[in-house]
Amino acid sequence: IRVGSVLLASATPRFIRRTLYTTPAKTWHCDVDLYLQQAVVFIEDAIQYRSINHRVDTNSLRLYRWYYSRLWQWGLGLTIAVVLMLAFIERPSSFSYTSDPRFRPPPWEPPCGLTEGIEIVCLIIFAIDLTTKSYLIGWDEFRKCKWLIVYILAVSASVIDWTLTLSMYCDQNLRVRRLIRPFFLLQNSSLMKKTLKCIKRTLPEINPKHNGEWETYFRDLPTSLSSLLVLLTTANNPDVMIPAYSLNRGYSIFFILFSGFGTYFLMNLLTAIIYNQFRGYLLMSVQASILRRRLGVRAAFEVMSCQGRGQDATHSEEHVERVRVDASLQVMARVQMKSYYRQAIIKQLSDGFIQWEAFRGLFDELDKDRIKEHPPKPEYNSPLLQKLQLVFSHYYVMIVGNAVALANVMCICTILVLDSEKSMAERDDYYMEVINCFFILYYLMEMSLKILAFGWRGYLSYRNNIFDGLLTFCLLVLQITIFATYRLPFPKWNPASRGLMSLWEMVRLVNMLIVVRFLRIIPDIKLMALVASTLVDLVKNLRAFAGILVVVFYVFAVLGIWLFQGAITAPGKMSVMSNSSMENITINFTMECGSYEQLGYWPNNFDDFASSLVLLYNIMVVNNWQVFMDAYTRYTTEWSKVYFVSWWLTSSVMWVNLFVALILENFIYKWDRSVTCSVADVERTGYETTVQLMFREQIQEPTEEELVTQLHQHPHLHLS
């Protein structure tokens, strides 16, 4: 009998009998194989912070694991990338060597049916993905999931629009499905959906003197607002102030007060408010993710505890809440997880049975740092080799190596400064080449002796050794190539150019590699190592924030093409000659200083998808963004300002500031954890900061009553 969740919430979890079934008509009392399979899936759900509200019969679990397999998820990600990249090929195509309308030849246009054929394959894959996911969660859960409902609408609308395109022989200018495509990227990432939801909830929480020059910037309300906005962004700030300031120096007080208050106080305060609100909502979302992890672990324990019942005569069936250790080992062997977490969990298991508190503690390993253990050093019988191993495995050898690399860089800089005033014919590369040969031999010796001291596996277990070794090998190959091409160096050594590169170009390439090799110093300085690891973590674990920025770029680029494609036309036509030279046709027209035309901003337009992305980026970085807004206002209407101001608010004010704030959050989190660590500990610790770990200290653990209540509300796994 299924018991109501209210009664279950009030009951003590330790005294609840478990009977699992998938339909009311059929009951399994202890199907061990099914329970183990369910436990495997529940633990995988917990590791990935996934919901456990899905079908739990044998066939559905097989389909579920296949759906979340690396093969299908990578294939789905590739499909999303392909459908997004179609915007570069479709009309208007970005396949031209320049976006400047004065020089741009007719771009290559794909034949009708090429991109449409690729797109329908992608839409079929999306339909399969949607059908599979809807089946696995069931109808009750499907009705609650707004993302899946919108997913159906998105696929359906895309198919309808695709059909219209083919019916019009690919001559359809307004393709609505291009705006829909970013949705497929959003719905495929749970963290991206959380981030978007947090951003959505954060957003609701923000008489002039008449004369000719003054009217240039404040002639009406829209122009006045845009001028003040330009002043607020400090983009060409004096241009807005100068007309009034030239009439009376007192007018400068207004502009200084406005820009000072707005730029240095209001905008920074707005950044703090946006981040604070967003952080609060994100914390709530992370709290829900932690609840899903704990719920998955609890569900695995519940289905596995069937085997622990009735094994001890001193305990009645109702009072036993434990699982067999051998069953836990079977489950952990089948769970898809990182090997070092699996080994850490298995190490804590012993013979017999394990109670709930201990079982839950096993999965605390998922929140711990990975401590990288280096392979043991090789053992040598020769006393000489033992002494060499002792010396070159010492930490001070690394310090000496860094000092030598610094000396090499300083020598290169000194010679380059001395040769800076000389012509190419007057330069003597002999001294530079001799110095480089000496240091390259030292790097080769250092690498060889480290391999001797640590062994191949031990040497490659250090990331800085891999970096050093790769660059040393490249330097050695390049130096041998120089000797083979230009012979051994000698005074006044300046041979004529041979092969693909001149001697000077090859020496410069060697110098560049030597300077890059000096970056080996980064892992040996804690602050620099933390900065580098923060950047790596941002790439790995904050993809959701960058993904939403990609979505916003995509949508605004498509809208820009719809609104402004071909709006700005070149003053004259440039013909491309057969010898690739340009012949200008002289056209007389007046260009205002500082305008779009005078600054030569012609390649920045909305004539194709690629140029639209570049233009949006130029606006996002703020400088001279008002030039683009002014140009499209003149060539179209005043309403075009709404588009540009909306993009500035979305990208520069909200997103960039939020991203900077999250970088600070990530770095502060790492810094706090590394205060008591040495440089060696930082190098050995595999920092992999997720959003969940960043807010871990502020998260409250769910209670037993909450977990049991959620479990008994599972639509397919009934506990009674």
Side-chain angles (χ1 to χ4, degrees), residues 13-231:
R14 189 175 299 277
F15 300 101
I16 296 177
R17 286 184 65 182
R18 300 166 198 73
T19 301
L20 286 83
Y21 58 92
T22 53
T23 62
K26 188 174 182 180
T27 302
W28 291 269
H29 292 286
C30 195
D31 188 343
V32 177
D33 291 336
L34 175 62
Y35 290 175
L36 291 180
Q37 191 175 3
Q38 289 173 345
V40 168
V41 172
F42 287 148
I43 291 175
E44 290 177 349
D45 289 340
I47 293 172
Q48 301 298 331
Y49 300 101
R50 294 195 298 251
S51 172
I52 65 170
N53 294 334
H54 52 77
R55 297 181 187 271
V56 292
D57 59 278
T58 303
N59 294 329
S60 296
L61 289 176
R62 291 198 189 99
L63 178 62
Y64 184 84
R65 296 194 76 191
W66 171 83
Y67 177 80
Y68 282 107
S69 66
R70 183 172 299 180
L71 177 63
W72 175 254
Q73 292 301 314
W74 273 94
L76 186 60
L78 179 62
T79 304
I80 294 171
V82 169
V83 81
L84 291 176
M85 294 295 290
L86 289 177
F88 292 97
I89 307 174
E90 294 172 330
R91 301 175 185 175
S93 171
S94 301
F95 276 51
S96 60
Y97 66 87
T98 178
S99 60
D100 193 325
R102 298 171 298 172
F103 312 125
R104 182 178 58 212
W108 174 82
E109 299 290 352
C112 182
L114 176 61
T115 59
E116 288 75 16
I118 298 174
E119 186 172 14
I120 194 61
V121 173
C122 296
L123 291 176
I124 291 173
I125 294 175
F126 292 146
I128 295 173
D129 175 70
L130 172 62
T131 304
T132 305
K133 197 167 186 178
S134 302
Y135 167 76
L136 288 173
I137 66 173
W139 173 247
D140 291 337
E141 289 297 309
F142 175 82
R143 289 183 301 174
K144 302 176 186 177
C145 186
K146 297 179 181 178
W147 282 96
L148 286 182
I149 296 174
V150 178
Y151 198 180
I152 291 180
L153 298 176
V155 173
S156 303
S158 298
V159 172
I160 294 173
D161 191 60
W162 178 87
T163 306
L164 290 175
T165 299
L166 286 185
S167 64
M168 299 174 67
Y169 300 100
C170 305
D171 197 26
Q172 181 187 15
N173 292 326
L174 193 65
R175 302 181 183 182
V176 179
R177 64 184 184 277
R178 298 182 77 179
L179 277 180
I180 299 175
R181 289 171 186 167
F183 171 81
F184 300 129
L185 178 62
L186 284 176
Q187 67 82 29
N188 193 48
S189 170
S190 59
L191 186 56
M192 203 177 294
K193 288 186 283 190
K194 290 177 182 294
T195 307
L196 185 65
K197 184 178 180 180
C198 294
I199 292 175
K200 183 188 71 174
R201 297 179 65 180
T202 303
L203 287 180
E205 317 273 278
I206 22 188
N207 234 359
K209 182 177 180 179
H210 294 282
N211 57 75
E213 290 183 329
W214 182 260
E215 290 179 354
T216 302
Y217 296 104
F218 295 92
R219 61 178 179 270
D220 51 39
L221 182 59
T223 307
S224 300
L225 291 176
S226 61
S227 297
L228 289 175
L229 203 56
V230 171
L231 180 66

Side-chain angles (χ1 to χ4, degrees), residues 482-535:
I482 292 176
F483 292 159
T485 307
Y486 296 104
R487 297 181 300 171
L488 295 176
F490 53 87
K492 302 299 181 182
W493 181 56
N494 194 14
S497 178
R498 301 174 186 173
L500 297 176
M501 299 176 65
S502 66
L503 174 61
W504 172 241
E505 290 172 337
M506 298 183 77
V507 171
R508 280 199 304 174
L509 185 56
V510 170
N511 294 340
M512 289 173 57
L513 291 177
I514 289 173
V515 172
V516 171
R517 191 182 181 280
F518 183 64
L519 295 178
R520 60 174 280 172
I521 196 175
I522 289 178
D524 301 328
I525 302 176
K526 182 191 291 189
L527 181 59
M528 297 178 68
L530 288 175
V531 171
S533 63
T534 300
L535 294 176

